[in-house]
């Protein structure tokens, strides 16, 4: 995989280099009050109402160069969508080769079923996308110290990208975060603190200490650029399906960055003329013992009240309250999608089925999407002829506890 930063320096004038096209980032827009803000100020949430800010682009300008032909010729990776990515000067891009993950047919699970396999991303999960975008943009805006509350994979990714950017990284994780996530952070040189509590307790600590310590808080959707990285999953899906989006996307939802990011991506793709108005149904999966979005969806609420006593072994789904709850719920409803919760046992069974039938060792969060799909086929919500994408958001290799060994041992 070429390093976009190096290849940019090597061939700055090449017509196929994505870096010969500028970012058309124009401003930040509040998703709640509609307020418009300067994109070159270091902002987190909306200064007026405290809700989520989105990066906006001059899409008419982007349309001139962001063509199917041009995209196909560019070096692979999520930064090739340059015109609708937020970094202005390509030398600020911090990349480990994230994006352009495979879209695998899963015909032994279902006739028109696909798995978007994010476990191959650097640091083993799709968090690499969001963190690459956020760290790159933070570097461009002068940040040198970053902090994150994380269920595990976001901290791993921030530790790696932060190391590569020469930043100081402070990670706060629940004490029962998978061991490998903790070790990754340590090996990348991050300062790790374990918290006897949930990710929301970690977030409260970061929030309290960030200002005094001079940390930039990279919490999911509390700054505008992680969503820009994760939206590239939607951009890639469009291209991988030859610019005709699938019928449904099943997404394991924690903070919801991916689901709202992809929804944003589809609107941008339509505005630049790469796709039509057809959208997939966006289906959100959560774990039975931490399902705030599912509960709010079923009750017809616009916001999701925090979930009490959240617990699940699918650590990325252990998010009792999401700052973008209203955006996740809007996305599900606008798309004609649904939300459902699956049990720990269903996740366990699904993880083994995906591995043994398709050769993919999915993270439990990714496996939850197959558990959900089985239910949705059974109750007729999904039909076999529909093209359905499951998101395997990370590698199962970080969750060895899901596999019980009972092996025969023989003498030679
Ligand atoms: C963080 C995470 C999720 C949840 O992602 P969001 O976009 O925040 O909803 C799902 N799966 C894995 C493996 C994760 O690390
Ligand atoms: Zn606002």
């Amino acid at each position: 995989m070429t390093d976009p930063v190096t290849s940019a320096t090597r061939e700055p004038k090449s017509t196929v280099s994505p870096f010969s096209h500028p970012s058309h980032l124009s401003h930040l827009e509040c998703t709640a009050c509609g307020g418009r803000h300067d994109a070159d100020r270091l902002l987190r949430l909306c200064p007026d109402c405290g809700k989520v800010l989105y990066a906006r682009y001059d899409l008419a300008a982007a349309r001139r160069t962001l063509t199917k032909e041009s995209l196909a010729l560019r070096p692979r990776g999520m930064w090739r969508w340059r015109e609708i990515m937020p970094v202005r000067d390509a030398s600020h891009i911090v990349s480990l080769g994230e994006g352009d993950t495979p879209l695998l047919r899963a015909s032994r699970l279902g006739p028109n079923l696909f798995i978007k396999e994010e476990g191959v991303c650097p640091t083993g999960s799709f968090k690499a996308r969001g963190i690459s975008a956020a760290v790159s943009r933070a570097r461009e805006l002068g940040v040198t110290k970053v902090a994150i509350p994380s269920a595990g994979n976001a901290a791993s990714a921030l530790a790696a990208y932060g190391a590569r950017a020469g930043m100081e990284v402070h990670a706060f994780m629940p004490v029962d975060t998978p061991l490998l996530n903790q070790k990754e952070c340590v090996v990348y040189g991050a300062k790790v603190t374990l918290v006897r509590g949930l990710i929301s307790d970690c977030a409260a600590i970061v929030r309290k200490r960030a200002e005094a310590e001079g940390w930039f808080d990279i919490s999911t959707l509390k700054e505008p650029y992680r969503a820009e990285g994760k939206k590239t999953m939607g951009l890639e899906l469009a291209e991988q399906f030859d610019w005709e989006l699938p019928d449904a996307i099943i997404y394991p939802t924690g903070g919801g960055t991916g689901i709202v990011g992809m929804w944003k991506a589809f609107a941008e793709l339509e505005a630049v003329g790469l796709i039509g108005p057809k959208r997939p149904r966006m289906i959100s999966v959560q774990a039975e013992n931490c399902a705030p979005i599912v509960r709010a969806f079923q009750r017809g609420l616009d916001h999701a009240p925090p979930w009490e006593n959240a617990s699940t072994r699918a650590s990325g789904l252990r998010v009792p309250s999401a700052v973008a709850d209203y955006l996740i719920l809007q996305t599900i409803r606008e798309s004609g999608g649904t939300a459902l919760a699956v049990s720990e046992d269903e996740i366990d069974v699904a993880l083994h089925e995906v591995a043994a039938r398709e050769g993919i060792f999915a993270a439990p969060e990714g496996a939850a999407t197959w558990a959900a799909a089985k239910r949705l086929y059974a109750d007729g919500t999904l039909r076999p002829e529909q093209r359905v994408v499951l998101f395997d958001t990370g590698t199962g290799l970080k969750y060895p506890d899901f596999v019980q060994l009972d092996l025969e041992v023989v003498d030679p």
Side-chain angles (χ1 to χ4, degrees), residues 148-362:
I148 196 163
S150 167
N153 283 326
S156 309
L158 183 63
Y161 284 87
R164 198 164 170 81
M167 291 181 182
E168 198 178 290
V169 176
H170 299 266
F172 291 80
M173 294 187 277
V175 69
D176 52 356
T177 297
L179 215 54
L180 287 171
N181 287 128
Q182 302 177 29
K183 292 198 174 185
E184 281 183 280
C185 291
V186 169
V187 81
Y188 294 129
K191 171 84 171 64
V192 180
T193 308
L194 299 177
V195 178
R196 275 188 212 90
L198 295 171
I199 186 171
S200 40
D201 302 305
C202 300
I205 295 179
V206 172
R207 199 162 49 234
K208 203 156 52 194
R209 292 183 52 188
E211 198 175 341
E213 306 273 1
W215 301 337
F216 184 63
D217 178 353
I218 298 216
S219 298
T220 197
L221 286 161
K222 291 187 185 164
E223 61 75 53
Y225 300 114
R226 275 176 72 176
E228 294 305 288
K230 277 203 180 165
K231 87 178 178 189
T232 60
M233 298 189 294
L235 303 175
E236 286 170 25
L237 272 188
E239 187 189 40
Q240 286 171 314
F241 279 108
D242 203 19
W243 311 103
E244 168 99 25
L245 294 173
D247 297 294
I249 291 176
I250 309 188
Y251 186 85
T253 307
T257 328
I259 196 166
V260 304
M262 285 193 278
W263 196 244
K264 178 174 187 289
F266 299 151
E268 291 172 358
L269 285 174
E270 187 176 357
V272 298
L274 286 171
I275 61 168
K278 186 193 154 193
R279 295 287 183 276
R281 288 155 78 189
M282 304 298 279
I283 299 172
S284 174
V285 187
Q286 297 196 302
E288 246 171 27
N289 299 324
C290 182
I293 299 295
V294 176
R295 183 174 63 185
F297 176 77
Q298 288 168 349
R299 294 187 183 167
L301 304 176
D302 293 334
H303 284 83
W307 190 273
E308 304 289 330
N309 303 316
S311 83
T312 165
R313 290 166 78 203
S315 44
L317 304 186
R318 205 164 51 193
V319 181
S321 78
V323 61
D325 54 356
Y326 62 106
L327 295 173
I328 303 169
L329 289 161
Q330 272 169 28
T331 300
I332 297 169
R333 291 190 178 119
E334 267 179 54
S335 73
T338 187
L340 69 165
V342 294
S343 71
E344 297 297 297
D345 282 350
E346 285 177 282
I347 292 175
D348 205 313
V349 169
L351 184 143
H352 285 84
E353 283 173 351
V354 175
R357 291 202 213 159
E358 296 291 354
I360 298 167
F361 188 0

